[in-house]
Amino acid sequence: MREIPLGRAEICRKGKDIALLAFGSLLQPARVAGDELGATVVNMRFVKPLDGELIVDLARNHRLLVTLEENVIAGGAGSAVTELLNEVGIGVRVLQLGLPDQFIEHGTQAELLAAIGLDTEGILAAVRAVPALLPE
């Protein structure tokens, strides 16, 4: 075991154009999606405190940031990322993927994540649907 620095994220894969910021349990599907997309994959580890320095660096060097969380989008980790970027004045496209603010049926974790698009296939489909990724 080793000590993890408080508030510091870990880059798991370096890529270009797209950065997948995974909070918690969505790291594994983010890794698989990142490999297919050629994206940077980050294990964010902490919502508070956020690794603001890394987020700003990613925003300056990627065309799209994708936040992934097994939490409600409104007021969640993705919202904290967008608030930070607004505060420092960086205008980069952010796609927030998380739980919808509605009742979710019962099932296994894998079934439910697939049903709401938070499995690898859902992440890939959501990213590929972003207009900002069209060729310049």
Side-chain angles (χ1 to χ4, degrees):
M1 291 182 55
R2 63 182 168 82
E3 186 176 334
I4 297 173
L6 182 65
R8 301 302 292 179
E10 171 189 35
I11 296 177
C12 302
R13 181 188 194 288
K14 290 189 178 187
K16 59 179 242 173
D17 294 330
I18 303 166
L20 305 176
L21 286 65
F23 292 87
S25 66
L26 297 181
L27 179 59
Q28 187 53 38
R31 284 179 187 258
V32 177
D35 286 343
E36 189 160 332
L37 296 166
T40 297
V41 177
V42 181
N43 178 1
M44 291 303 295
R45 293 183 176 153
F46 299 93
V47 177
K48 288 187 178 183
L50 273 177
D51 191 341
E53 184 179 320
L54 179 61
I55 292 168
V56 167
D57 183 58
L58 292 168
R60 288 185 174 138
N61 294 293
H62 292 78
R63 293 172 44 205
L64 174 68
L65 301 185
V66 182
T67 62
L68 304 162
E69 61 186 303
E70 195 173 345
N71 185 27
V72 180
I73 295 170
S79 294
V81 169
T82 59
E83 288 172 15
L84 169 72
L85 295 172
N86 286 333
E87 185 177 304
V88 297
I90 296 177
V92 66
R93 172 85 167 129
V94 178
L95 173 62
Q96 295 174 246
L97 300 179
L99 302 179
D101 193 13
Q102 64 190 42
F103 178 78
I104 299 173
E105 293 294 329
H106 295 279
T108 67
Q109 182 183 29
E111 291 169 336
L112 298 177
L113 291 176
I116 58 175
L118 289 178
D119 60 347
T120 300
E121 292 76 22
I123 294 167
L124 289 169
V127 170
R128 288 178 175 145
V130 175
L133 295 180
L134 297 174
E136 293 180 353

